Amino acid sequence: STTSSSSSSTPPKTGLVCRERQLALLRDLFGKGSCFWPAVHVWGPGSTGKTACIRQVLAETKSPSAFVDCKKCFSERLVCSAIAEQLWSSSRQTKQTVSGSTLVSLTHLLSELFELRNATGFIVLDNADQLMDSKVAFLNGLLRLHEMAQCQLTVVLVTRSVRYYIVPGAWSSAAILPVPFPAYSTAELVQIVNRTVREEKHPNTWRKILRVVLEGMNHITRDLNQCRHVARMVRPLISQLVMPESDDAKVILRIPALKALVKRICDKFGTNDFTEKSIATFMKTAGPSRSAFDDIILQLPTVASYILLASFLAANNPKKYDALKFSAEVEGGRKKRRRKRRKTGNASQGKMNLPRLLTGPKPFTLQRMLAIFDHIFDELENRGQAVVYNLTSSLIGLKLLSHADGASGKVDAFQKGLKLACNVGYLDIKKLAEKLDFGIDGYIHSPEE
C-alpha cells in the first residue's frame, strides 16, 4: 500500500524540459479540484512552452475545462460557443443542443452545470493578446462569469506580454495570479534543441557547435522553433566546422569557419536567402578547402611564408611573451642580440601547448606582427618594408589573414595599429615551418615558461 500511495503522488513524466517549476505550479492550481484564484495570467515570449504546459496539465485534471485559441475564434460569438460546447461536453450532463453564443446565454448554461458547484472549472484563452487590445469589455465579462453564474470558475489568460492591468474595473493586480515563462537561456536552448535535432555519431561535438551558434544569434532570436530550424540547417555542416584531428572526446573547432557561419546566419536570418542550400553553398565558397589550403600555403613566397608564421605566433602567443622570447623590447633591440635569441629558439624544440591553441587565435596588431617578423626573418632592410605591406594585403586577399576590426583595403605603413586575425591552423603552419626548416614549436608559448 505504501508503494502504491507513493507512486500515485509522483507527477507523471512529460517531454517538457526546463519548465519544471511552472509545471509544478500549474499542477498545484489545476489538480486540487478547487482554485481560489478567479484569474491566472500565463505570460512569456513565443515558443517558451506556455501552451504545451497548460495542455499537459489539462489532460491530467478531471475538472471541466475549455481551451480556446483566440486566433482561430476571432469573434465574441465563436469564443462563447467554443467555451459552452467544451465545458458541457466535459461534464456528465447530456443535452441535445447547447446554446452559448453570447455572454448571457453562456452564463445561463454555466449555472446549470452541477460540476461547477462543487469543483472549479477552467477556461483557457490562448493568444489572448487581441482580447486585451480590442475586446476589453468582452474580456471583462469573461472574467466575471463566475460571479454572474454563481459557480466556481477560473479564467486562464495566455499572452506574450504583461498587460492584464489594462482591463478597466476587472480585477486588481493582486487578484490575478501571474505565472511567468521567461525566455530560455542558451544552455536551456541547447538542451531542448538537442532533444529533437540529435547527432548520434558525435554528440559532444554537436552540443559544442550548437552552443556557439545559438549564443552567436542570441541578439537575433531566442524563439525555440526558429532555433530548431537553424539547428537542422547547421547539422549537415559538422565536418566543415571541426579540424580533421578532432574527435568527440577532444573537440577542436574551426573557429574562423564557425564565426563566418554565425555571421552569415545573422545577416541572412528572415530573408529569402536563408535556406539550407544557400548556407551549405556559402560554407563551400566562404574560404579555401583543406586541399586548397595546402596548395596555397606551400606555394607562398619565402617572405610571405614568414609573414604568415609571424601572424600565427602573434595570434596564439600572449603579448607579454614577445619581450621574453624575441628581445628585451619587442619594437627595438640590436640585430646581434636577436640572432642569438633566434638560435636559442630554434635549438629548443619546446612541447606544443595544445590547451593554449585550443582557445582559438586572438586578434593582433600589425605593428606586433611586424616586430615578430623582423626577428624571425632579418634578411630585408628598411627598403623592403613596402614589400611586407603588399604581401600582407595579398594574404588578406587569400583569406589566410583577415581584418579583425571590420576595416578593409590595402595595408600600408600608416596602419600599424590595424588589428588582424590569423585564419590558419596549427597543422598547416607546421607543414609550412617544416618546408622552411623553421622550428615553430620553439616559439609557441608554454605555461611552464
Side-chain angles (χ1 to χ4, degrees):
S1 60
T2 306
T3 306
S4 60
S5 62
S6 61
S7 61
S8 61
S9 61
T10 304
K13 292 183 179 180
T14 176
L16 297 170
V17 293
C18 305
R19 287 292 179 244
E20 291 78 9
R21 187 177 66 85
Q22 287 82 357
L23 270 173
L25 177 58
L26 292 175
R27 282 194 178 110
D28 187 58
L29 290 173
F30 286 39
K32 289 183 177 180
S34 59
C35 180
F36 298 100
W37 291 94
V40 176
H41 184 213
V42 178
W43 61 273
S47 299
T48 51
K50 303 184 297 295
T51 303
C53 286
I54 291 177
R55 286 188 179 277
Q56 176 70 29
V57 175
L58 286 179
E60 300 170 4
T61 185
K62 298 180 180 180
S63 300
S65 61
F67 186 95
V68 181
D69 188 352
C70 295
K71 284 186 176 180
K72 297 179 180 178
C73 301
F74 49 85
S75 66
E76 298 179 10
R77 182 184 183 89
L78 291 175
V79 171
C80 291
S81 299
I83 293 174
E85 291 176 3
Q86 293 185 44
L87 284 179
W88 195 268
S89 61
S90 62
S91 65
R92 299 177 184 177
Q93 298 173 240
T94 58
K95 193 175 184 179
Q96 297 297 329
T97 59
V98 177
S99 177
S101 57
T102 63
L103 278 176
V104 176
S105 59
L106 180 60
T107 301
H108 288 299
L109 182 68
L110 295 180
S111 62
E112 298 177 7
L113 290 176
F114 298 108
E115 285 82 354
L116 298 184
R117 299 177 184 177
N118 301 319
T120 302
F122 297 94
I123 299 176
V124 179
L125 300 176
D126 195 17
N127 298 308
D129 300 85
Q130 61 179 5
L131 292 181
M132 293 182 172
D133 292 335
S134 59
K135 297 179 175 60
V136 178
F138 176 65
L139 180 59
N140 191 6
L142 290 176
L143 292 175
R144 293 189 178 277
L145 272 176
H146 70 288
E147 294 180 351
M148 296 184 291
Q150 295 296 312
C151 61
Q152 299 183 39
L153 197 64
T154 296
V155 177
V156 181
L157 304 176
V158 184
T159 67
R160 288 174 174 261
S161 58
V162 188
R163 288 186 293 178
Y164 57 82
Y165 52 82
I166 70 171
V167 183
W171 307 101
S172 63
S173 58
I176 299 181
L177 175 66
V179 181
F181 278 68
Y184 291 114
S185 64
T186 303
E188 291 174 338
L189 281 175
V190 172
Q191 181 181 355
I192 298 171
V193 172
N194 191 46
R195 290 169 64 95
T196 54
V197 187
R198 301 186 63 86
E199 172 60 34
E200 302 295 343
K201 294 183 178 179
H202 309 286
N204 190 33
T205 302
W206 171 236
R207 281 194 296 270
K208 289 193 175 184
I209 293 176
L210 192 60
R211 183 176 183 86
V212 174
V213 172
L214 296 181
E215 185 69 32
M217 55 183 292
N218 181 28
H219 63 290
I220 299 296
T221 182
R222 301 191 73 83
D223 186 274
L224 184 58
N225 293 328
Q226 293 175 348
C227 290
R228 286 192 180 114
H229 177 60
V230 172
R232 294 187 185 97
M233 298 170 66
V234 174
R235 184 175 57 180
L237 307 174
I238 292 180
S239 60
Q240 303 179 41
L241 299 174
V242 296
M243 301 295 288
E245 65 274 16
S246 174
D247 55 32
D248 205 50
K250 188 177 184 180
V251 182
I252 307 177
L253 300 177
R254 288 180 184 264
I255 302 299
L258 200 52
K259 286 183 178 179
L261 174 63
V262 173
K263 186 177 185 302
R264 182 71 174 184
I265 290 174
C266 295
D267 291 342
K268 299 299 182 181
F269 187 83
T271 65
N272 294 332
D273 294 336
F274 189 65
T275 61
E276 184 175 352
K277 183 178 179 180
S278 66
I279 295 296
T281 304
F282 168 77
M283 289 304 296
K284 292 180 180 179
T285 60
S289 63
R290 195 71 192 167
S291 59
F293 255 137
D294 295 339
D295 295 338
I296 292 174
I297 291 175
L298 296 180
Q299 293 179 11
L300 288 175
T302 303
V303 178
S305 299
Y306 276 95
I307 292 175
L308 194 57
L309 292 175
S311 300
F312 178 83
L313 293 174
N316 290 278
N317 285 341
K319 187 176 180 180
K320 62 182 180 180
Y321 181 72
D322 296 348
L324 173 65
K325 192 68 179 177
F326 300 123
S327 62
E329 296 293 336
V330 72
E331 284 92 2
R334 294 176 297 178
K335 291 280 186 177
K336 184 176 180 181
R337 185 174 183 181
R338 290 187 203 171
R339 289 174 181 166
K340 183 178 179 181
R341 293 269 184 171
R342 179 184 174 185
K343 291 178 181 178
T344 304
N346 288 334
S348 61
Q349 298 295 329
K351 190 176 181 181
M352 185 184 65
N353 182 21
L354 277 178
R356 173 70 186 180
L357 295 177
L358 288 177
T359 60
K362 305 295 187 296
F364 55 91
T365 62
L366 176 62
Q367 184 178 10
R368 181 176 169 221
M369 184 272 287
L370 292 175
I372 298 176
F373 170 78
D374 189 38
H375 173 80
I376 64 176
F377 188 80
D378 52 7
E379 298 178 11
L380 286 177
E381 300 295 338
N382 292 332
R383 63 178 181 272
Q385 292 299 315
V387 177
V388 176
Y389 295 134
N390 290 333
L391 289 175
T392 303
S393 299
S394 300
L395 292 176
I396 293 174
L398 293 172
K399 297 183 181 179
L400 301 177
L401 300 179
S402 61
H403 292 281
D405 52 3
S408 59
K410 296 183 66 176
V411 177
D412 54 43
F414 300 101
Q415 293 180 308
K416 289 190 176 181
L418 182 68
K419 285 191 175 182
L420 300 174
C422 182
N423 301 330
V424 183
Y426 172 78
L427 293 182
D428 295 313
I429 287 293
K430 184 71 173 177
K431 292 180 181 179
L432 181 62
E434 291 175 355
K435 175 190 172 184
L436 299 173
D437 195 20
F438 180 80
I440 187 68
D441 290 344
Y443 288 94
I444 298 178
H445 173 257
S446 176
E448 290 80 9
E449 298 182 2

